[in-house]
Amino acid sequence: MELQRRPDQNLPERKGQKRKLEEELDDEREISLQSGDARQALLSEVSAQVNVLTSTYSWKEADRAAAKRATHVLAELAKNEEVVNVIVDGGAVPALVKHLQSPPLTSENERGAKPFEHEVEKGSAFALGLLAVKPEHQQLIVDNGALSHLVALLRRHKDGLCSRAVNSVIRRAADAITNLAHENSSIKTRVRVEGGIPPLVELLEFTDTKVQRAAAGALRTLAFKNDENKNQIVECNALPTLILMLRSEDAAIHYEAVGVIGNLVHSSPNIKKEVLVAGALQPVIGLLSSCCSESQREAALLLGQFAATDSDCKVHIVQRGAVQPLIEMLQSPDLQLREMSAFALGRLAQDAHNQAGIAHTGGLVPLLKLLDSKNGSLQHNAAFALYGLADNEDNVSDFIKVGGVQKLQDGEFIVQATKDCVAKTLKRLEEKIHGRVRLELLIGLLGSTSLKQQLDGSVALYKLANKAMTLSPMDAAPLSPTPQVYLGEQYVNSVTLSDVTFLVEGCKRFYAHRICLLASSDAFRAMFDGGYREKDARDIEIPNIRWEVFQLMMRFIYTGSVDITLDIAQDLLRAADQYLLEGLKRLCEYTIAQDISLENVSSMYELSEAFHAISLRHTCILFILEQYDKLSARPGHSHLIQRIIPEIRNYFAKALTKPNTHNSRL
């Protein structure tokens, strides 16, 4: 789930360089090549300027003035990309390259003050840099020998000269190298071969900040996807200066510096370690709060790269205060800022020490919101961060409270990698939303004042309940819990061997057998084997049970089974509870449970409480959790929920500790 530094990332920088060059031109000239005549006129003008450059390569003041004007005109024209090809076709490249170096001295008189010293070279470097914006011209410029001259210009200050003109020509040379090497690996290598890297590193310490910035910009481009260049930049001891530049108050300085470091460490674990040892971590974290969004973006990307080093680095980044500004960046209107901060947080979230901190600092909600993004890379970075956060037990409650599980389930994800990541995240959460650890949280949600949280809690509890049992009471009738030997149907209300008679409804006789009753329940055992008056009585009155109910109860005692209809189930439940016939109770509960509805679930729950009907009570609980959204719209639902919460706790406490052969891992 690595976020790669994209090949086109330097493109805005290159175009920005071109704009920066243009801003310093005094005049702006709009040129259109819509007609052949216009193109011919332009070509004539270019040819004229090339002729001037070709014929003025001397220290004569008039020649130098003419050459300066010619380079200025060509640079002015080159700001319009539509005419760059015409300028190149007109032969401007070799003429400009020639003027990157000073004319030879022909007499002692020329060794004194030199007219327009450095100015013509600056103009030539400026124009060539603009022509190099088009990749197809880069190699032509290099093949004409520009690189060696540009590298020489980088050293102009070595002669002890320090002036505005010297600073300008150095800066233009660095800018031209930047544009020539952009996305051109062979030219990047040529710059190194021509000796361009050491002077650029030295210029990082130059007193002129514009020169500093230009040198850093060139090194940034040279370091991108070129391991030999990276190594030489580090060997030239650039890191201490670059790290110092990170603390600059000049946004342009620290932006270029963090960009250089970012390209140095990309796919280079050893350099990454050197950068960290050199002390880059804290100033990079400081850039997260910069007013420069480009620096913020680069700093976040760099922290994400640092975080891949090892777990200790991940922890150090969090400990030094990176999480809060990264979370704030998640909510930026800038798409790239959101993407890079999600990338960094995703890396940090893969360490167990950081996961709870990121969630509790407020990272969960904005990361979930980013799942709605239509940008595939941003969406994937957010999903990867959430995957890390889901690994921590302490974060599961927050996922549920903010509706994160539902968000992950309902999201529309652009790329397959994101879909896979989300599936793994849901699996992680599912494995953790179980057992006693999550139970109190989910039950707590039912008591929340937020209906959304109540619904989330009920859904999660219902899923948990389904996992916790082999068969729901609503799926199959239970067997009798105490298998026994039954006398059989032929002895039901039979005088044969009868030794006790029950009087029901005052006068209706039911002939029974003590041995069968003694084996059926503790209630009858106490009646016939204890100190009650019924012990020796021949006739025993049953005052509070209807004949139909008593008959069914006795049939169950004699046969172990009975057909129960809804119209008699509740009375039979009452009788079964009175005579401690657990098997019959469960059959009654099963029958009653078939009739549970939104209208009667409250009374059904009361019935289960009155007769200690555990199975019926659990069925009511499951029904309430399953139908919570509909129940919530009915009056009195809050009172019902508060009543069942203690029993929900008891239900899950038993269900989650009971062996389950069908689902060993809940």
Side-chain angles (χ1 to χ4, degrees):
M1 298 183 185
E2 175 93 12
L3 179 132
Q4 297 294 327
R5 182 177 280 263
R6 296 182 299 278
D8 64 343
Q9 260 186 291
N10 283 352
L11 185 58
E13 173 189 342
R14 184 186 70 182
K15 290 190 178 295
Q17 176 66 43
K18 181 172 181 291
R19 285 194 296 271
K20 181 173 68 177
L21 296 174
E22 293 166 5
E23 287 170 0
E24 300 189 19
L25 293 171
D26 297 326
D27 305 316
E28 291 192 2
R29 187 182 313 173
E30 292 299 328
I31 299 174
S32 174
L33 299 181
Q34 293 180 355
S35 68
D37 290 343
R39 189 182 191 284
Q40 188 58 46
L42 175 64
L43 190 57
S44 297
E45 183 173 2
V46 170
S47 297
Q49 302 306 323
V50 169
N51 289 335
V52 169
L53 291 174
T54 304
S55 61
T56 58
Y57 192 55
S58 78
W59 278 112
K60 293 179 181 179
E61 186 169 355
D63 285 349
R64 294 293 283 175
K68 178 184 175 182
R69 284 195 301 272
T71 59
H72 180 85
V73 170
L74 289 173
E76 173 75 5
L77 293 172
K79 74 175 185 177
N80 186 340
E81 288 193 28
E82 290 185 16
V83 304
V84 165
N85 290 344
V86 178
I87 297 172
V88 173
D89 292 343
V93 169
L96 288 167
V97 170
K98 183 176 182 179
H99 280 273
L100 287 175
Q101 54 186 330
S102 301
L105 297 173
T106 58
S107 68
E108 285 297 325
N109 293 335
E110 292 178 348
R111 296 185 184 279
K114 299 182 179 67
F116 303 106
E117 188 175 14
H118 312 297
E119 293 288 341
V120 180
E121 296 92 315
K122 178 187 75 173
S124 296
F126 187 12
L128 286 168
L130 288 171
L131 296 179
V133 167
K134 281 204 168 185
E136 59 265 33
H137 302 317
Q138 293 169 346
Q139 195 61 48
L140 173 65
I141 295 170
V142 171
D143 289 344
N144 274 272
L147 276 184
S148 59
H149 300 322
L150 290 170
V151 170
L153 291 179
L154 296 177
R155 300 190 176 97
R156 278 274 167 114
H157 65 291
K158 292 285 190 179
D159 299 331
L161 301 173
C162 185
S163 67
R164 183 175 179 181
V166 171
N167 295 351
S168 294
V169 73
I170 293 172
R171 177 160 58 95
R172 294 306 188 198
D175 290 341
I177 289 173
T178 299
N179 286 356
L180 281 170
H182 179 72
E183 291 189 17
N184 192 315
S185 58
S186 64
I187 293 179
K188 289 176 186 177
T189 300
R190 283 286 299 275
V191 173
R192 183 182 76 253
V193 171
E194 295 284 353
I197 289 178
L200 286 169
V201 172
E202 291 175 13
L203 291 172
L204 293 177
E205 300 184 64
F206 205 72
T207 53
D208 187 300
T209 57
K210 290 183 178 180
V211 172
Q212 261 190 309
R213 186 173 65 196
L219 290 171
R220 176 181 186 157
T221 296
L222 295 173
F224 185 56
K225 291 188 176 180
N226 191 303
D227 291 340
E228 292 81 3
N229 284 2
K230 292 178 184 181
N231 291 333
Q232 189 174 80
I233 292 169
V234 174
E235 288 166 4
C236 289
N237 202 32
L239 293 182
T241 308
L242 287 169
I243 291 170
L244 191 63
M245 291 168 69
L246 293 176
R247 300 183 184 275
S248 171
E249 294 183 2
D250 187 330
I253 293 292
H254 59 62
Y255 166 63
E256 295 293 359
V258 73
V260 178
I261 294 173
N263 284 349
L264 286 174
V265 305
H266 181 63
S267 301
S268 301
N270 292 333
I271 293 178
K272 195 181 299 181
K273 291 177 182 177
E274 288 191 54
V275 168
L276 289 169
V277 170
L281 187 55
Q282 197 60 53
V284 171
I285 291 173
L287 288 181
L288 295 177
S289 302
S290 168
C291 59
C292 173
S293 61
E294 289 87 354
S295 293
Q296 286 181 294
R297 182 189 70 221
E298 293 294 331
L301 176 59
L302 187 50
L303 287 175
Q305 293 171 323
F306 285 159
T309 305
D310 52 48
S311 290
D312 285 344
C313 188
K314 291 182 177 71
V315 174
H316 292 158
I317 292 171
V318 172
Q319 288 175 337
R320 296 186 183 203
V323 170
Q324 188 63 53
L326 284 172
I327 291 173
E328 291 173 2
M329 288 165 62
L330 290 176
Q331 302 162 78
S332 167
D334 186 318
L335 175 66
Q336 287 189 317
L337 275 184
R338 297 199 301 274
E339 181 181 347
M340 295 308 164
S341 57
F343 168 68
L345 287 168
R347 290 292 191 82
L348 296 174
Q350 304 314 307
D351 186 88
H353 297 90
N354 299 336
Q355 291 157 354
I358 293 172
H360 295 164
T361 307
L364 193 54
V365 171
L367 284 170
L368 286 167
K369 287 182 179 178
L370 292 183
L371 295 180
D372 294 329
S373 171
K374 302 304 180 185
N375 179 284
S377 180
L378 173 57
Q379 191 183 64
H380 183 65
N381 285 331
F384 185 51
L386 291 166
Y387 170 73
L389 298 184
D391 193 39
N392 191 292
E393 289 275 353
D394 295 334
N395 291 343
V396 177
S397 60
D398 293 323
F399 265 97
I400 297 171
K401 285 180 181 178
V402 301
V405 176
Q406 200 68 37
K407 187 84 170 178
L408 290 165
Q409 290 173 335
D410 297 343
E412 296 181 5
F413 305 111
I414 299 170
V415 297
Q416 186 60 45
T418 307
K419 296 175 183 177
D420 295 341
C421 183
V422 168
K424 292 178 181 178
T425 304
L426 285 169
K427 184 177 180 181
R428 275 187 170 180
L429 290 170
E430 184 178 350
E431 289 172 350
K432 290 174 173 59
I433 303 177
H434 72 277
R436 297 176 185 272
V437 177
R438 296 299 118 213
L439 185 59
E440 288 303 320
L441 158 72
L442 298 175
I443 292 175
L445 291 179
L446 291 183
S448 168
T449 56
S450 165
L451 179 58
K452 180 68 169 63
Q453 291 187 12
Q454 292 174 19
L455 290 172
D456 287 342
S458 65
V459 169
L461 282 167
Y462 183 69
K463 289 180 179 178
L464 180 58
N466 282 334
K467 283 192 165 200
M469 59 190 173
T470 305
L471 289 173
S472 164
M474 298 175 69
D475 293 332
L479 299 174
S480 171
T482 54
Q484 61 191 63
V485 177
Y486 301 103
L487 288 184
E489 179 71 29
Q490 66 271 29
Y491 289 102
V492 177
N493 199 14
S494 171
V495 296
T496 303
L497 300 177
S498 173
D499 54 3
V500 64
T501 303
F502 292 105
L503 298 177
V504 184
E505 294 184 355
C507 60
K508 294 179 181 179
R509 291 181 175 275
F510 192 99
Y511 300 98
H513 307 77
R514 290 175 188 265
I515 189 63
C516 183
L517 300 174
L518 282 169
S520 67
S521 78
D522 290 339
F524 283 117
R525 190 174 298 111
M527 180 184 295
F528 297 123
D529 199 28
Y532 295 96
R533 63 181 181 179
E534 291 89 350
K535 178 179 180 180
D536 300 317
R538 177 69 184 177
D539 296 332
I540 299 174
E541 187 175 354
I542 304 296
N544 56 352
I545 300 179
R546 291 187 295 120
W547 172 253
E548 293 82 2
V549 174
F550 190 80
Q551 275 188 310
L552 286 174
M553 183 181 77
M554 298 304 287
R555 185 176 299 279
F556 177 81
I557 291 173
Y558 277 78
T559 66
S561 64
V562 67
D563 292 329
I564 305 171
T565 58
L566 276 172
D567 61 336
I568 204 170
Q570 293 193 24
D571 287 341
L572 189 57
L573 173 67
R574 183 181 295 106
D577 181 64
Q578 180 179 338
Y579 287 97
L580 306 180
L581 299 169
E582 291 302 318
L584 181 59
K585 275 183 67 174
R586 291 173 65 184
L587 287 173
C588 292
E589 292 174 61
Y590 173 74
T591 301
I592 294 169
Q594 310 312 301
D595 192 41
I596 293 179
S597 66
L598 294 171
E599 289 74 18
N600 67 15
V601 65
S602 180
S603 61
M604 290 291 192
Y605 188 81
E606 290 177 359
L607 182 69
S608 73
E609 285 188 314
F611 298 110
H612 195 57
I614 303 299
S615 180
L616 178 60
R617 190 180 313 168
H618 291 170
T619 304
C620 288
I621 288 172
L622 291 175
F623 182 86
I624 291 169
L625 294 175
E626 183 184 20
Q627 303 292 330
Y628 195 92
D629 56 336
K630 296 176 182 177
L631 275 171
S632 62
R634 304 176 70 87
H637 86 279
S638 297
H639 177 67
L640 176 60
I641 292 300
Q642 294 306 313
R643 284 181 59 194
I644 71 168
I645 282 178
E647 189 55 37
I648 290 177
R649 188 177 286 107
N650 293 336
Y651 167 74
F652 282 104
K654 293 176 182 177
L656 294 171
T657 55
K658 183 174 62 177
N660 189 328
T661 58
H662 290 258
N663 191 358
S664 58
R665 188 183 71 177
L666 300 181

